[in-house]
Amino acid sequence: MKRNPIWMVVNGIGLVLLICIFALPFVWMISTSFKTLGETMTFPPKWIPNQLLWENFSKAWNSGPFLKYLMNSTIVSVGILILQFATIIPAAYAFARYRFKGSNFFFGVTMITLMIPTQLIFLPVYLQMSSWGLLDTLWALILPFASSAFGIFLLRQSFKQVPEELLEAARLDQASEWKIIMKIMVPMAKPVLITFGMFSFIAHWNDYFWPLVMTTTDASRTLPLGITKLREVDGGVAWNILMAGNLILVIPILFIFFFAQRQIIRAFIYTGVK
Amino acid sequence: MTLANSNETLHRKREQSALSALNWVAVRPYMMIFPAIIVFTLFFLYPIGYMIYLSFHDWNFVSPDKDYVGFSNFTALLQDAKFQQVLRNTFMYSFATVSLTISISLLLALWLNKKGAMYGFVQGAIFSPHIISLVSISMLWMWIMDTDYGLLNWFLNLFGISNIPWLTDPKTSLLSLIIVAVWKGIGYYTLIFIAGLQSIPKDIYEAAALDDTSKVRTFFKLTLPMLSPTLFFLTIIGLIGSFQVFETISIMTKGGPINSTNTIVYYIYENGFRFFKIGYASTAGVILLLVVGVFTIIYFKLLSRKVHYQS
C-alpha cells in the first residue's frame, strides 16, 4: 500500500468512525444506566451524567426475582452444555470410528436435524411439553437441546483425524473403548470441544425466544426474559433502569469477550466456515 | 471322558463369551448414538410430523377434537391479506438485510484484512454485537431510535434532518429493524470474509501484479470468484436466518404499527399463543419449513456441484 500521509490520515479517520458506529451505542447504554430519569430526557443528549446513579442497578435488580432469573439462566446454560457433551462425544465417536448397519441412515437423521431451526418447530414442541406436563419447568428449556447435531458434526470431523495407529496401540494395551475416548479422543479434540462449548453457552445464555415460549411464571424464567419485564416498571419506560438491567446481562459476556476475544472469534468463525 | 467333557464345556463357555462379546461389539455403536438420536426424534423429527399433521386440522388448543379440514388451512392462509403482507415483509426484510450486510461486510473485509494491533482491535469492536443478547440489542436500539430523546435523531438533527419516528411509523418501522440486523451482523460477516480472503493463495496475486492488472480488475477477476463459496454460504445462511427473525420484532415493534413489521415466525407465535388458531399457525410453520427447505436444498445442490468441478 502507498505510504501517502493523506491516505494514512483518511484511513485513520475511517477506522475511528467505524469504531464509533459499533462502540458508541454501548457507551450510550452505560451512560444512560447512570442517569436520573430527568437526565434521560434532555435534548441534546448528555454523554456524561452529572453524577453516577449506582442505585439504578439495585432498582433494576430488585424490581423482580433477579437472583432466581440468574440461577435459572445458569442452570439452563450449564445443564445444556453438560448434557450436550455427554451425548455428542459418544455419538461422534461411533459415527467417526465404527462401521455399523444403518450408520448412514442415522447420520442422515442427524444432518436433517442440523437443518431444522428451532424457531420453526416451537409450536408442536410446546404442545408436546404441555401434554407431558413439563411446561413452565426448566426441563422444557433444557431437554430439546440435550444433544446437538451441529456438535456431532463438528466433533466427528475432528475424531476422524486421529490416526488409527494410535487407537490400535491403545487396544493392544487392553485399553477399553471408554478409556480410548477419554484419554485419546477427547484430549485431541479439545480445541473443537472448547469452541463448541463457548458457542453453545453464549447462544443459550442469550436466548430469549425459547424461554418466552415455554415459561409462564418467574419460577422458570431466565435473565433475558426478566430484563424484558423491566419495561413494565412504573408505567412509562424508565430508560435509565432499563439500560442498567441490560448492562447486568451484557457485562458478563463483554467481560468474557474482552479476555477470550481470540478464542471466541475463532469459535464463531470456525463454526461458520465449516 | 470327564476330561473331554470339561474340555467341551470350557470350549462352549469360550464360545459363549465370544458370542456375547460379539453382540456387545455389534450393539455398542447403537448404544452410543442412542441418546442423541432420541433427542433428535422427540424434539425435532416428531414435532415436524406433528406440525404437518396439525396443518390439516382445525384446532383451538382447548377442545378435545381436532377436525380434519384438508388443505383448507393452506388455501385460507394464502388468500389471507394479512398473511400475504407477512410474507412480503419477511422477504423484504430478509433480502434487504442479507444484501446490505453482505455488500458492506465485503467492502469492510477488503479494508480491514491487514495485520497489526489496530486492525485486530477494530475487528473485535465490530464483531462484539454478535455475541450480545438480542434482548439487549433490541432495547438499546429502541432507546437509540426513540423519536424525541433518541441518539439517532439527535445525530440526524446535526445535519438538519428533523425527528423521524423510526419505530412508530409504518413507513420506517421495517427499515429500522433492517438497520439493527445489519448493524448486528456486519462484524460476523466481515470476519468470515476476512477468513475467506486469507485462504486465497498469495501467488495468484503475485502473478496478477506482474501482469500489471488494475486493482478493480483483480478484485472482479480474481478475488470475487475465489470468494464465491464464502459469499454463497453467507447468503444462504443469512437468508435462512432472516426468514426466522423474531426477537427484535417481539421486543421493538410487536409486529406493528399496523402489521408493517409482522413476519412469519411472529405471525405463528401470535396465532398460536394469542388467537389459539393452532391449525392456522401450524400451516404457516409448514410454509416456512418449505421455504427454508428449498434454500437448504439449493445450497447442497450447488455445494456438491462445486466439489464435483474441483475433483
Side-chain angles (χ1 to χ4, degrees):
Chain A
M1 191 59 65
K2 283 159 269 175
R3 287 276 160 203
N4 186 336
I6 297 172
W7 167 248
M8 280 174 71
V9 170
V10 171
N11 189 46
I13 292 174
L15 289 177
V16 171
L17 276 180
L18 194 60
I19 291 178
C20 283
I21 294 174
F22 288 90
L24 280 188
F26 291 119
V27 174
W28 181 239
M29 184 182 211
I30 296 168
S31 158
T32 305
S33 64
F34 284 107
K35 286 177 178 173
T36 62
L37 190 58
E39 269 180 311
T40 63
M41 296 183 188
T42 52
F43 205 79
K46 255 195 239 171
W47 282 95
I48 299 163
N50 285 340
Q51 65 191 80
L52 298 184
L53 216 61
W54 288 96
E55 64 181 58
N56 287 342
F57 292 92
S58 55
K59 265 190 194 162
W61 185 264
N62 293 324
S63 69
F66 267 78
L67 192 63
K68 184 80 192 161
Y69 298 148
L70 181 68
M71 270 170 55
N72 287 342
S73 270
T74 311
I75 294 171
V76 169
S77 323
V78 174
I80 286 175
L81 205 57
I82 292 171
L83 284 174
Q84 281 180 338
F85 281 145
T87 57
I88 69 173
I89 291 173
Y93 183 76
F95 283 130
R97 288 294 173 173
Y98 292 142
R99 263 186 229 157
F100 54 99
K101 227 179 168 180
S103 70
N104 280 338
F105 170 77
F106 287 114
F107 192 65
V109 166
T110 309
M111 293 311 288
I112 289 175
T113 308
L114 182 62
M115 302 303 144
I116 303 169
T118 47
Q119 315 262 88
L120 221 151
I121 46 162
F122 73 91
L123 194 63
V125 177
Y126 173 89
L127 298 170
Q128 211 173 333
M129 291 290 178
S130 151
S131 68
W132 292 343
L134 289 179
L135 276 188
D136 204 26
T137 66
L138 294 184
W139 292 113
L141 304 184
I142 295 174
L143 285 180
F145 307 104
S147 191
S148 162
F150 180 58
I152 292 175
F153 179 69
L154 279 186
L155 207 55
R156 173 177 161 270
Q157 305 280 88
S158 94
F159 280 174
K160 273 192 159 178
Q161 284 159 13
V162 178
E164 183 66 31
E165 296 82 55
L166 217 58
L167 303 196
E168 290 302 327
R171 280 186 192 124
L172 280 179
D173 284 347
Q174 304 285 313
S176 64
E177 292 295 287
W178 167 249
K179 216 169 178 180
I180 288 175
I181 293 177
M182 295 315 284
K183 295 275 152 106
I184 300 176
M185 296 313 242
V186 167
M188 293 201 70
K190 210 168 128 192
V192 174
L193 284 169
I194 293 175
T195 294
F196 172 74
M198 279 202 232
F199 184 77
S200 166
F201 183 85
I202 293 176
H204 293 289
W205 176 266
N206 284 341
D207 191 23
Y208 163 74
F209 180 75
W210 203 258
L212 174 75
V213 171
M214 296 296 163
T215 66
T216 45
T217 66
D218 281 336
S220 55
R221 281 198 182 112
T222 55
L223 215 44
L225 268 180
I227 302 282
T228 58
K229 300 232 105 201
L230 280 176
R231 268 203 298 190
E232 291 150 26
V233 176
D234 294 340
V237 185
W239 288 111
N240 52 346
I241 309 284
L242 201 56
M243 289 300 118
N246 276 292
L247 216 51
I248 298 173
L249 185 69
V250 170
I251 287 290
I253 295 283
L254 278 186
F255 193 73
I256 300 171
F257 186 59
F258 188 77
F259 287 104
Q261 186 181 331
R262 257 167 207 281
Q263 285 83 347
I264 290 178
I265 288 183
R266 208 185 298 137
F268 278 85
I269 300 305
Y270 183 81
T271 50
V273 172
K274 288 285 149 166
Chain B
M1 179 75 186
T2 45
L3 194 73
N5 216 343
S6 70
N7 239 345
E8 204 166 275
T9 45
L10 196 72
H11 193 71
R12 201 176 293 150
K13 258 188 189 161
R14 264 199 203 138
E15 225 169 34
Q16 266 173 359
S17 77
L19 200 70
S20 74
L22 196 73
N23 274 340
W24 169 238
V25 168
V27 169
R28 191 166 54 196
Y30 300 100
M31 301 280 281
M32 291 172 93
I33 63 169
F34 182 73
I37 296 295
I38 278 289
V39 171
F40 299 153
T41 312
L42 281 181
F43 299 108
F44 288 87
L45 303 178
Y46 172 73
I48 292 263
Y50 191 38
M51 184 167 79
I52 295 171
Y53 167 85
L54 285 173
S55 71
F56 292 103
H57 291 77
D58 192 14
W59 189 36
N60 65 1
F61 190 43
V62 197
S63 105
D65 311 311
K66 303 181 182 79
D67 301 322
Y68 177 76
V69 292
F71 279 95
S72 78
N73 278 332
F74 286 88
T75 49
L77 197 62
L78 292 171
Q79 281 162 8
D80 184 341
K82 186 176 170 186
F83 186 68
Q84 286 167 6
Q85 193 190 356
V86 164
L87 280 182
R88 256 199 318 277
N89 289 341
T90 311
F91 284 116
M92 281 247 292
Y93 170 88
S94 303
F95 288 112
T97 303
V98 172
S99 51
L100 280 174
T101 315
I102 285 192
S103 34
I104 297 172
S105 311
L106 186 53
L107 290 176
L108 284 181
L110 292 169
W111 178 24
L112 300 176
N113 181 23
K114 296 185 181 92
K115 294 243 147 50
M118 181 63 181
Y119 289 98
F121 179 75
V122 176
Q123 288 176 15
I126 64 172
F127 180 78
S128 59
H130 193 72
I131 53 163
I132 302 293
S133 172
L134 270 165
V135 168
S136 300
I137 300 270
S138 304
M139 293 201 166
L140 176 58
W141 277 90
M142 260 179 99
W143 174 215
I144 289 173
M145 288 174 161
D146 188 85
T147 313
D148 298 318
Y149 307 109
L151 202 57
L152 189 56
N153 278 340
W154 163 76
F155 180 72
L156 293 176
N157 283 174
L158 299 180
F159 299 93
I161 301 167
S162 55
N163 284 359
I164 298 171
W166 290 100
L167 294 165
T168 44
D169 184 339
K171 282 203 275 302
T172 51
S173 51
L174 197 63
L175 174 70
S176 309
L177 294 176
I178 293 168
I179 293 173
V180 176
V182 172
W183 181 81
K184 183 181 161 76
I186 277 180
Y188 175 67
Y189 280 56
T190 304
L191 290 187
I192 298 231
F193 273 131
I194 288 179
L197 284 172
Q198 284 171 352
S199 69
I200 301 176
K202 294 278 173 295
D203 41 338
I204 302 184
Y205 285 107
E206 281 159 21
L210 278 180
D211 287 349
D212 254 348
T213 319
S214 77
K215 278 241 162 67
V216 178
R217 212 180 135 77
T218 312
F219 174 75
F220 282 106
K221 294 282 165 187
L222 256 180
T223 312
L224 207 56
M226 295 296 278
L227 269 187
S228 63
T230 312
L231 199 65
F232 180 58
F233 166 79
L234 286 177
T235 309
I236 299 285
I237 295 293
L239 284 176
I240 292 178
S242 308
F243 288 147
Q244 305 161 54
V245 59
F246 176 85
E247 285 88 346
T248 45
I249 292 167
S250 165
I251 293 167
M252 297 174 77
T253 62
K254 301 239 175 274
I258 45 172
N259 282 319
S260 58
T261 57
N262 201 339
T263 57
I264 297 187
V265 175
Y266 193 76
Y267 181 82
I268 299 173
Y269 177 79
E270 240 188 355
N271 272 288
F273 290 124
R274 205 173 304 153
F275 311 138
F276 302 109
K277 294 202 274 189
I278 303 293
Y280 221 53
S282 301
T283 310
V286 171
I287 290 174
L288 180 58
L289 180 71
L290 289 175
V291 174
V292 169
V294 165
F295 277 87
T296 310
I297 290 167
I298 294 175
Y299 179 65
F300 279 101
K301 273 270 149 65
L302 288 170
L303 203 69
S304 63
R305 194 195 280 171
K306 194 199 72 163
V307 172
H308 224 75
Y309 276 134
Q310 277 176 347
S311 60

